[in-house]
């Protein structure tokens, strides 16, 4: 899951095309983030993992090198490959963020995700209001229309929403803000799957669509304060939705 939108496309349960390299990276990455391979532990031997995943030593070693570059593991001579401390993980890496979707996230981590997103996207909305082009406004309106059409389809709605936020980041003119798209995608996925009540999920999508219209209108008008406020409101709504559903689920247990 390294391409923008790949996490959201997985919500339907449709298998994504993959090669052996990405398959092994994802399997081990999810295993680390979920705790199946505990922090500080030594991963199974090469022979064991080659048998488990049905891949060659070359594919396995390439996958482990990729994980080491992400700060997830550390190879030690005569010891093996150890799972690194969480403080070393590259949490802004798109794949690392996507793997967290498969894990049981605590409320503090979720709040942290939305907090960082608010800081970055608030600035993106501010800059986009000042720097947007006519073509970017046209694209924003196109994806708003796709959000409207997809209000009965959580995956399509979230993908259209991701495009809105991606274009706003592009319109900011700051390439570093564009790199936050993995963070945005993870939070959108968490909102998309929050709760089991069909009507409440549909109502949440309708709220996000309406607020996104206001956000885009403010950007088109060059109204930076309103754009920043509405971006903050969209993100706060998503966080409230995710945490309220979690609290309700915990109360039923």
């Amino acid at each position: 899951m390294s391409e923008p939108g790949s996490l959201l496309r997985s919500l339907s349960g449709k298998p994504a095309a993959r090669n052996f390299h990405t398959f092994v990276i994802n399997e081990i990455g999810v295993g680390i983030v979920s705790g199946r391979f505990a922090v500080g532990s030594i991963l199974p031997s090469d022979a064991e993992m080659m048998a488990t995943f049905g891949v060659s030593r070359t594919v396995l070693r390439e996958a482990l090198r990729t994980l080491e570059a992400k700060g997830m593991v550390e190879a030690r001579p005569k010891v093996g490959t150890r799972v690194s401390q969480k403080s070393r993980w590259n949490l802004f890496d798109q794949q690392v963020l996507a793997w967290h979707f498969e894990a049981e996230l605590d409320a503090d981590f979720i709040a942290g995700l939305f907090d960082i997103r608010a800081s970055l996207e608030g600035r993106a909305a501010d800059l986009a209001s000042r720097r947007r082009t006519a073509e970017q406004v046209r694209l924003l309106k196109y994806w708003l229309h796709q959000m409207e059409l997809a209000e009965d389809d959580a995956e399509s709605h979230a993908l259209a929403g991701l495009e809105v936020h991606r274009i706003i980041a592009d319109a900011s003119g700051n390439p570093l803000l564009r790199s936050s798209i993995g963070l945005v995608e993870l939070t959108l996925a968490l909102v998309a799957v929050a709760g089991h009540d069909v009507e409440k999920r549909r109502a949440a999508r309708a709220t996000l669509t309406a607020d996104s219209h206001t956000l885009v209108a403010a950007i088109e008008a060059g109204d930076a304060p309103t754009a920043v406020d509405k971006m903050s409101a969209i993100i706060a709504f998503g966080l409230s939705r995710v945490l309220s559903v979690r609290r309700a689920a915990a109360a039923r247990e």
Side-chain angles (χ1 to χ4, degrees), residues 108-129:
D108 288 342
F109 186 84
I110 292 172
L113 287 172
F114 281 87
D115 182 47
I116 294 299
R117 180 185 164 194
S119 298
L120 295 173
E121 286 210 289
R123 182 58 174 160
D126 178 34
L127 292 174
S129 300

Side-chain angles (χ1 to χ4, degrees), residues 38-56:
V39 166
S41 67
I42 303 297
L43 292 178
S45 69
D46 285 6
E48 290 178 82
M49 288 197 286
M50 287 162 58
T52 298
F53 302 128
V55 296
S56 68

Side-chain angles (χ1 to χ4, degrees), residues 2-239:
S2 58
E3 293 299 318
S6 58
L7 171 58
L8 293 175
R9 292 187 185 92
S10 73
L11 299 182
S12 64
K14 298 175 183 175
R18 63 189 183 187
N19 56 42
F20 286 124
H21 178 67
T22 56
F23 168 68
V24 175
I25 292 171
N26 286 332
E27 287 295 305
I28 300 175
V30 169
I32 291 172
V33 172
S34 66
R36 181 159 51 89
F37 299 129
V39 166
S41 67
I42 303 297
L43 292 178
S45 69
D46 285 6
E48 290 178 82
M49 288 197 286
M50 287 162 58
T52 298
F53 302 128
V55 296
S56 68
R57 186 180 301 276
T58 299
V59 169
L60 176 63
R61 299 313 298 174
E62 286 178 354
L64 291 174
R65 280 194 291 271
T66 299
L67 289 165
E68 188 166 16
K70 297 176 186 295
M72 305 287 286
V73 300
E74 180 182 6
R76 297 185 177 183
K78 300 182 179 180
V79 174
T81 302
R82 187 184 301 276
V83 178
S84 301
Q85 296 297 314
K86 290 183 180 181
S87 60
R88 297 192 58 193
W89 300 0
N90 181 3
L91 292 177
F92 280 93
D93 182 278
Q94 196 156 303
Q95 278 185 306
V96 177
L97 283 166
W99 294 331
H100 279 78
F101 187 71
E102 307 293 332
E104 184 63 34
L105 303 179
D106 61 47
D108 288 342
F109 186 84
I110 292 172
L113 287 172
F114 281 87
D115 182 47
I116 294 299
R117 180 185 164 194
S119 298
L120 295 173
E121 286 210 289
R123 182 58 174 160
D126 178 34
L127 292 174
S129 300
R130 307 169 195 275
R131 300 174 176 175
R132 75 277 182 256
T133 65
E135 175 62 12
Q136 286 165 336
V137 171
R138 185 192 70 78
L139 288 171
L140 285 169
K141 290 181 177 180
Y142 169 80
W143 286 109
L144 283 176
H145 183 56
Q146 296 306 305
M147 289 180 74
E148 291 175 338
L149 294 177
E151 283 184 359
D152 287 329
D153 182 338
E155 180 184 314
S156 296
H157 185 271
L159 282 166
L162 179 65
E163 286 301 312
V164 168
H165 290 276
R166 183 188 63 78
I167 295 164
I168 290 172
D170 283 343
S172 75
N174 185 332
L176 296 178
L177 291 174
R178 175 65 177 81
S179 69
S180 67
I181 200 65
L183 176 65
V184 175
E185 184 172 3
L186 174 56
T187 55
L188 290 178
L190 292 172
V191 174
V193 301
H196 298 290
D197 187 302
V198 173
E199 289 305 317
K200 287 183 178 179
R201 290 174 69 166
R202 184 179 292 118
R205 291 193 290 273
T207 296
L208 289 171
T209 300
D211 285 349
S212 296
H213 269 285
T214 305
L215 168 63
V216 170
I219 290 173
E220 181 180 19
D223 183 353
T226 299
V228 173
D229 286 347
K230 186 51 62 174
M231 180 68 84
S232 297
I234 288 170
I235 296 168
F237 175 81
L239 174 60

